[in-house]
Amino acid sequence: MTEREALDLDAADPLPTRRAEFCVPGESAYLAGNSLGLQPKAVRERVGAELDDWARLGVEGHTRACRPWLPYHELLREPAAALVGARPAEVVVMNSLTVNLHLMMVSFYRPTPERHAILIEDSAFPSDSYAVRSQAAFHGYDPDEAVVRLAPADVLGYLRARGDHVALVLLGAVNYLTGELLDMDAITAAGRAAGAIVGWDLAHAAGNVPLGLHETGADWAAWCSYKYLNAGPGSLAGVFVHERHLADRSLPKFAGWWSTDPRTRFEMAPTVTQVDTADSWQVSNPPILAMAPVLVSLEMFGQTGMEALRAKSIRLTGYLESLLDSVCAGRPACVITPRDPARRGAQLSVRVSDRDVGPVSRRLREEFGVCTDTRRPDVIRLAPAPMYNTFHDCWRAATALAAVLDDGGAR
Ligand SMILES: Cc1ncc(COP(=O)(O)O)c(C=O)c1O
């Protein structure tokens, strides 16, 4: 594994990196895009444009800004739909991820005494676990009984055997800890065949792997946009509701003035006029300053295209995997992410068995300029994001990890 090889791979790759379009802290090898993606340089100017319009126009900006604010979220609809493989009416960008999980469960978790289980993965992200437990409790069920936590490998069998008591399946399409990409088609089909609602948390999947939500037949999905989508810390999230639910007036929803038909919104009627799109799950008027970076992000993904990004991602992650295998050989570390590229996205997780990973990650950053992240006690996550990472970044990360692992315990 030589630096020259990595540089040659970068020079020869059919999809050139867009690294120069991002702010890269300290020119690091930034492999933490699965946690917080880098800032596209275009964001500053785009947010500045909205600030300028606000300064120049005040309230008039709602209709007279360069990109008028009242219908601003419409600009995000088509690119967001393309990103997740949905029809435009099925998606809306709003709120943050866990808030959207709750709004979706208001409509799609309708427990009965016979059918009230919520199936999640045993390594679900804590926010999802807290959210489903609180929903079960809200409906008067004991979360310890209602929430079923399963290893991903056991989900299909469980749905076949015990699916008749499952009200909701809610899984992370790409697991935050292991990087495993689940078989969304098979699980969605099995969940629906069992009579359950199937929702997906796409936090680690959106912008990472190609998605075909509409075709998959999932009932709903939600995702954040601060990871692979690079829209900034705490940036706005997205929601997908399958077309077959869009005109269902029987679904309970929490409403606000952004739930109502925009054509009559300013008639200030006391009741909502429903629309037959995912917009009907909106509650508040959207934060334009937060939407501007999402628009930049979606434009960048539209320009490069998920298929090309995925192809590059498979090349980059495969290369990093081969380097990490050499690093791990003879050292107390191993890659725990599935080996089949079809069963993972960009992230590789390394379990280090002889020490706390916190200091390892800190030394990687401080001594080698390699930015990774950790999940204590023993997992380091490295995600070469195909939009801006290079083969050289992968090489830097692997050689640095070898040096830190050889250099004893915590400092
Ligand atoms: C899988 C998953 N679900 C939920 C969340 C929580 O997201 P938020 O804080 O934006 O609600 C995260 C955050 O990283 C996540 O990775």
PDB file of all heavy atoms in Angstrom, residues 232-255:
ATOM      1  N   GLY A 232     -25.410  20.693   6.648  1.00  0.00           N
ATOM      2  CA  GLY A 232     -25.058  21.465   7.842  1.00  0.00           C
ATOM      3  C   GLY A 232     -25.625  20.901   9.129  1.00  0.00           C
ATOM      4  O   GLY A 232     -26.637  20.193   9.116  1.00  0.00           O
ATOM      5  N   PRO A 233     -24.973  21.242  10.241  1.00  0.00           N
ATOM      6  CA  PRO A 233     -25.363  20.675  11.541  1.00  0.00           C
ATOM      7  C   PRO A 233     -26.842  20.908  11.848  1.00  0.00           C
ATOM      8  O   PRO A 233     -27.320  22.039  11.770  1.00  0.00           O
ATOM      9  CB  PRO A 233     -24.464  21.408  12.545  1.00  0.00           C
ATOM     10  CG  PRO A 233     -23.832  22.535  11.794  1.00  0.00           C
ATOM     11  CD  PRO A 233     -23.861  22.199  10.352  1.00  0.00           C
ATOM     12  N   GLY A 234     -27.526  19.826  12.187  1.00  0.00           N
ATOM     13  CA  GLY A 234     -28.947  19.936  12.536  1.00  0.00           C
ATOM     14  C   GLY A 234     -29.839  20.358  11.385  1.00  0.00           C
ATOM     15  O   GLY A 234     -30.964  20.819  11.594  1.00  0.00           O
ATOM     16  N   SER A 235     -29.358  20.169  10.153  1.00  0.00           N
ATOM     17  CA  SER A 235     -30.113  20.692   9.002  1.00  0.00           C
ATOM     18  C   SER A 235     -31.453  19.971   8.841  1.00  0.00           C
ATOM     19  O   SER A 235     -31.704  18.941   9.460  1.00  0.00           O
ATOM     20  CB  SER A 235     -29.285  20.539   7.728  1.00  0.00           C
ATOM     21  OG  SER A 235     -28.902  19.192   7.564  1.00  0.00           O
ATOM     22  N   LEU A 236     -32.270  20.542   7.985  1.00  0.00           N
ATOM     23  CA  LEU A 236     -33.636  20.036   7.826  1.00  0.00           C
ATOM     24  C   LEU A 236     -33.673  18.609   7.305  1.00  0.00           C
ATOM     25  O   LEU A 236     -32.807  18.193   6.539  1.00  0.00           O
ATOM     26  CB  LEU A 236     -34.405  20.942   6.868  1.00  0.00           C
ATOM     27  CG  LEU A 236     -34.816  22.272   7.496  1.00  0.00           C
ATOM     28  CD1 LEU A 236     -35.258  23.234   6.425  1.00  0.00           C
ATOM     29  CD2 LEU A 236     -35.922  22.047   8.514  1.00  0.00           C
ATOM     30  N   ALA A 237     -34.711  17.927   7.679  1.00  0.00           N
ATOM     31  CA  ALA A 237     -34.849  16.512   7.346  1.00  0.00           C
ATOM     32  C   ALA A 237     -35.885  16.326   6.236  1.00  0.00           C
ATOM     33  O   ALA A 237     -36.542  17.281   5.816  1.00  0.00           O
ATOM     34  CB  ALA A 237     -35.271  15.755   8.597  1.00  0.00           C
ATOM     35  N   GLY A 238     -36.022  15.084   5.811  1.00  0.00           N
ATOM     36  CA  GLY A 238     -36.990  14.787   4.757  1.00  0.00           C
ATOM     37  C   GLY A 238     -37.945  13.698   5.192  1.00  0.00           C
ATOM     38  O   GLY A 238     -37.664  12.930   6.120  1.00  0.00           O
ATOM     39  N   VAL A 239     -39.064  13.657   4.494  1.00  0.00           N
ATOM     40  CA  VAL A 239     -40.074  12.642   4.762  1.00  0.00           C
ATOM     41  C   VAL A 239     -40.615  12.108   3.435  1.00  0.00           C
ATOM     42  O   VAL A 239     -40.764  12.866   2.475  1.00  0.00           O
ATOM     43  CB  VAL A 239     -41.224  13.256   5.598  1.00  0.00           C
ATOM     44  CG1 VAL A 239     -42.536  12.569   5.332  1.00  0.00           C
ATOM     45  CG2 VAL A 239     -40.896  13.202   7.072  1.00  0.00           C
ATOM     46  N   PHE A 240     -40.866  10.816   3.420  1.00  0.00           N
ATOM     47  CA  PHE A 240     -41.535  10.164   2.290  1.00  0.00           C
ATOM     48  C   PHE A 240     -42.790   9.487   2.814  1.00  0.00           C
ATOM     49  O   PHE A 240     -42.739   8.791   3.841  1.00  0.00           O
ATOM     50  CB  PHE A 240     -40.596   9.113   1.689  1.00  0.00           C
ATOM     51  CG  PHE A 240     -41.285   8.053   0.855  1.00  0.00           C
ATOM     52  CD1 PHE A 240     -41.512   8.235  -0.508  1.00  0.00           C
ATOM     53  CD2 PHE A 240     -41.691   6.847   1.437  1.00  0.00           C
ATOM     54  CE1 PHE A 240     -42.148   7.243  -1.265  1.00  0.00           C
ATOM     55  CE2 PHE A 240     -42.325   5.853   0.687  1.00  0.00           C
ATOM     56  CZ  PHE A 240     -42.547   6.063  -0.671  1.00  0.00           C
ATOM     57  N   VAL A 241     -43.908   9.711   2.138  1.00  0.00           N
ATOM     58  CA  VAL A 241     -45.137   8.969   2.434  1.00  0.00           C
ATOM     59  C   VAL A 241     -45.597   8.355   1.122  1.00  0.00           C
ATOM     60  O   VAL A 241     -45.738   9.059   0.112  1.00  0.00           O
ATOM     61  CB  VAL A 241     -46.245   9.886   2.993  1.00  0.00           C
ATOM     62  CG1 VAL A 241     -47.524   9.088   3.233  1.00  0.00           C
ATOM     63  CG2 VAL A 241     -45.798  10.553   4.284  1.00  0.00           C
ATOM     64  N   HIS A 242     -45.803   7.051   1.128  1.00  0.00           N
ATOM     65  CA  HIS A 242     -46.152   6.405  -0.127  1.00  0.00           C
ATOM     66  C   HIS A 242     -47.470   6.950  -0.674  1.00  0.00           C
ATOM     67  O   HIS A 242     -48.417   7.218   0.082  1.00  0.00           O
ATOM     68  CB  HIS A 242     -46.247   4.879   0.037  1.00  0.00           C
ATOM     69  CG  HIS A 242     -46.193   4.164  -1.278  1.00  0.00           C
ATOM     70  ND1 HIS A 242     -47.298   4.012  -2.085  1.00  0.00           N
ATOM     71  CD2 HIS A 242     -45.158   3.613  -1.953  1.00  0.00           C
ATOM     72  CE1 HIS A 242     -46.941   3.367  -3.197  1.00  0.00           C
ATOM     73  NE2 HIS A 242     -45.637   3.110  -3.129  1.00  0.00           N
ATOM     74  N   GLU A 243     -47.480   7.083  -1.995  1.00  0.00           N
ATOM     75  CA  GLU A 243     -48.651   7.607  -2.719  1.00  0.00           C
ATOM     76  C   GLU A 243     -49.983   7.015  -2.246  1.00  0.00           C
ATOM     77  O   GLU A 243     -50.984   7.720  -2.184  1.00  0.00           O
ATOM     78  CB  GLU A 243     -48.420   7.216  -4.186  1.00  0.00           C
ATOM     79  CG  GLU A 243     -49.254   7.868  -5.211  1.00  0.00           C
ATOM     80  CD  GLU A 243     -48.734   7.452  -6.586  1.00  0.00           C
ATOM     81  OE1 GLU A 243     -48.721   6.238  -6.894  1.00  0.00           O
ATOM     82  OE2 GLU A 243     -48.355   8.340  -7.341  1.00  0.00           O
ATOM     83  N   ARG A 244     -49.983   5.716  -1.897  1.00  0.00           N
ATOM     84  CA  ARG A 244     -51.273   5.093  -1.562  1.00  0.00           C
ATOM     85  C   ARG A 244     -51.890   5.678  -0.298  1.00  0.00           C
ATOM     86  O   ARG A 244     -53.071   5.481  -0.050  1.00  0.00           O
ATOM     87  CB  ARG A 244     -51.123   3.575  -1.404  1.00  0.00           C
ATOM     88  CG  ARG A 244     -50.235   3.110  -0.288  1.00  0.00           C
ATOM     89  CD  ARG A 244     -50.164   1.579  -0.204  1.00  0.00           C
ATOM     90  NE  ARG A 244     -49.143   1.166   0.747  1.00  0.00           N
ATOM     91  CZ  ARG A 244     -47.855   1.030   0.465  1.00  0.00           C
ATOM     92  NH1 ARG A 244     -47.415   1.249  -0.761  1.00  0.00           N
ATOM     93  NH2 ARG A 244     -46.992   0.675   1.395  1.00  0.00           N
ATOM     94  N   HIS A 245     -51.084   6.437   0.484  1.00  0.00           N
ATOM     95  CA  HIS A 245     -51.625   7.038   1.714  1.00  0.00           C
ATOM     96  C   HIS A 245     -51.974   8.521   1.552  1.00  0.00           C
ATOM     97  O   HIS A 245     -52.522   9.125   2.469  1.00  0.00           O
ATOM     98  CB  HIS A 245     -50.604   6.940   2.848  1.00  0.00           C
ATOM     99  CG  HIS A 245     -50.238   5.532   3.226  1.00  0.00           C
ATOM    100  ND1 HIS A 245     -51.173   4.622   3.654  1.00  0.00           N
ATOM    101  CD2 HIS A 245     -49.043   4.884   3.242  1.00  0.00           C
ATOM    102  CE1 HIS A 245     -50.568   3.465   3.921  1.00  0.00           C
ATOM    103  NE2 HIS A 245     -49.284   3.601   3.674  1.00  0.00           N
ATOM    104  N   LEU A 246     -51.593   9.095   0.404  1.00  0.00           N
ATOM    105  CA  LEU A 246     -51.628  10.562   0.335  1.00  0.00           C
ATOM    106  C   LEU A 246     -53.033  11.142   0.418  1.00  0.00           C
ATOM    107  O   LEU A 246     -53.221  12.242   0.938  1.00  0.00           O
ATOM    108  CB  LEU A 246     -50.912  11.061  -0.929  1.00  0.00           C
ATOM    109  CG  LEU A 246     -49.398  10.786  -0.969  1.00  0.00           C
ATOM    110  CD1 LEU A 246     -48.797  11.294  -2.274  1.00  0.00           C
ATOM    111  CD2 LEU A 246     -48.685  11.424   0.226  1.00  0.00           C
ATOM    112  N   ALA A 247     -54.010  10.416  -0.104  1.00  0.00           N
ATOM    113  CA  ALA A 247     -55.383  10.961  -0.080  1.00  0.00           C
ATOM    114  C   ALA A 247     -56.228  10.324   1.023  1.00  0.00           C
ATOM    115  O   ALA A 247     -57.440  10.522   1.059  1.00  0.00           O
ATOM    116  CB  ALA A 247     -56.038  10.745  -1.444  1.00  0.00           C
ATOM    117  N   ASP A 248     -55.565   9.605   1.916  1.00  0.00           N
ATOM    118  CA  ASP A 248     -56.319   8.918   2.982  1.00  0.00           C
ATOM    119  C   ASP A 248     -56.687   9.912   4.085  1.00  0.00           C
ATOM    120  O   ASP A 248     -55.854  10.295   4.902  1.00  0.00           O
ATOM    121  CB  ASP A 248     -55.456   7.772   3.537  1.00  0.00           C
ATOM    122  CG  ASP A 248     -56.199   6.961   4.592  1.00  0.00           C
ATOM    123  OD1 ASP A 248     -57.286   7.393   5.028  1.00  0.00           O
ATOM    124  OD2 ASP A 248     -55.677   5.900   4.986  1.00  0.00           O
ATOM    125  N   ARG A 249     -57.926  10.314   4.092  1.00  0.00           N
ATOM    126  CA  ARG A 249     -58.375  11.323   5.071  1.00  0.00           C
ATOM    127  C   ARG A 249     -58.579  10.734   6.468  1.00  0.00           C
ATOM    128  O   ARG A 249     -58.815  11.462   7.418  1.00  0.00           O
ATOM    129  CB  ARG A 249     -59.710  11.935   4.613  1.00  0.00           C
ATOM    130  CG  ARG A 249     -59.654  12.615   3.270  1.00  0.00           C
ATOM    131  CD  ARG A 249     -59.052  14.021   3.432  1.00  0.00           C
ATOM    132  NE  ARG A 249     -59.110  14.733   2.171  1.00  0.00           N
ATOM    133  CZ  ARG A 249     -58.112  14.796   1.294  1.00  0.00           C
ATOM    134  NH1 ARG A 249     -56.976  14.189   1.543  1.00  0.00           N
ATOM    135  NH2 ARG A 249     -58.251  15.478   0.174  1.00  0.00           N
ATOM    136  N   SER A 250     -58.501   9.408   6.567  1.00  0.00           N
ATOM    137  CA  SER A 250     -58.748   8.799   7.883  1.00  0.00           C
ATOM    138  C   SER A 250     -57.486   8.796   8.753  1.00  0.00           C
ATOM    139  O   SER A 250     -57.554   8.490   9.944  1.00  0.00           O
ATOM    140  CB  SER A 250     -59.257   7.359   7.709  1.00  0.00           C
ATOM    141  OG  SER A 250     -58.194   6.530   7.283  1.00  0.00           O
ATOM    142  N   LEU A 251     -56.332   9.131   8.168  1.00  0.00           N
ATOM    143  CA  LEU A 251     -55.094   9.086   8.959  1.00  0.00           C
ATOM    144  C   LEU A 251     -55.049  10.246   9.950  1.00  0.00           C
ATOM    145  O   LEU A 251     -55.259  11.400   9.558  1.00  0.00           O
ATOM    146  CB  LEU A 251     -53.876   9.189   8.031  1.00  0.00           C
ATOM    147  CG  LEU A 251     -53.589   7.983   7.141  1.00  0.00           C
ATOM    148  CD1 LEU A 251     -52.475   8.320   6.158  1.00  0.00           C
ATOM    149  CD2 LEU A 251     -53.207   6.775   7.999  1.00  0.00           C
ATOM    150  N   PRO A 252     -54.764   9.965  11.201  1.00  0.00           N
ATOM    151  CA  PRO A 252     -54.594  11.087  12.133  1.00  0.00           C
ATOM    152  C   PRO A 252     -53.302  11.839  11.820  1.00  0.00           C
ATOM    153  O   PRO A 252     -52.292  11.223  11.454  1.00  0.00           O
ATOM    154  CB  PRO A 252     -54.509  10.400  13.503  1.00  0.00           C
ATOM    155  CG  PRO A 252     -54.257   8.972  13.252  1.00  0.00           C
ATOM    156  CD  PRO A 252     -54.584   8.653  11.832  1.00  0.00           C
ATOM    157  N   LYS A 253     -53.357  13.157  11.940  1.00  0.00           N
ATOM    158  CA  LYS A 253     -52.158  13.974  11.700  1.00  0.00           C
ATOM    159  C   LYS A 253     -52.158  15.116  12.701  1.00  0.00           C
ATOM    160  O   LYS A 253     -53.229  15.581  13.088  1.00  0.00           O
ATOM    161  CB  LYS A 253     -52.198  14.593  10.295  1.00  0.00           C
ATOM    162  CG  LYS A 253     -52.051  13.610   9.167  1.00  0.00           C
ATOM    163  CD  LYS A 253     -52.285  14.306   7.829  1.00  0.00           C
ATOM    164  CE  LYS A 253     -52.423  13.276   6.729  1.00  0.00           C
ATOM    165  NZ  LYS A 253     -52.994  13.850   5.507  1.00  0.00           N
ATOM    166  N   PHE A 254     -50.971  15.557  13.072  1.00  0.00           N
ATOM    167  CA  PHE A 254     -50.881  16.784  13.863  1.00  0.00           C
ATOM    168  C   PHE A 254     -50.769  17.936  12.871  1.00  0.00           C
ATOM    169  O   PHE A 254     -49.841  17.973  12.064  1.00  0.00           O
ATOM    170  CB  PHE A 254     -49.658  16.741  14.783  1.00  0.00           C
ATOM    171  CG  PHE A 254     -49.836  15.851  15.990  1.00  0.00           C
ATOM    172  CD1 PHE A 254     -48.759  15.543  16.806  1.00  0.00           C
ATOM    173  CD2 PHE A 254     -51.083  15.325  16.323  1.00  0.00           C
ATOM    174  CE1 PHE A 254     -48.911  14.733  17.924  1.00  0.00           C
ATOM    175  CE2 PHE A 254     -51.256  14.519  17.434  1.00  0.00           C
ATOM    176  CZ  PHE A 254     -50.161  14.213  18.241  1.00  0.00           C
ATOM    177  N   ALA A 255     -51.681  18.880  12.944  1.00  0.00           N
ATOM    178  CA  ALA A 255     -51.761  19.913  11.905  1.00  0.00           C
ATOM    179  C   ALA A 255     -51.251  21.264  12.384  1.00  0.00           C
ATOM    180  O   ALA A 255     -51.169  21.543  13.578  1.00  0.00           O
ATOM    181  CB  ALA A 255     -53.204  20.042  11.427  1.00  0.00           C
TER     182      ALA A 255
END
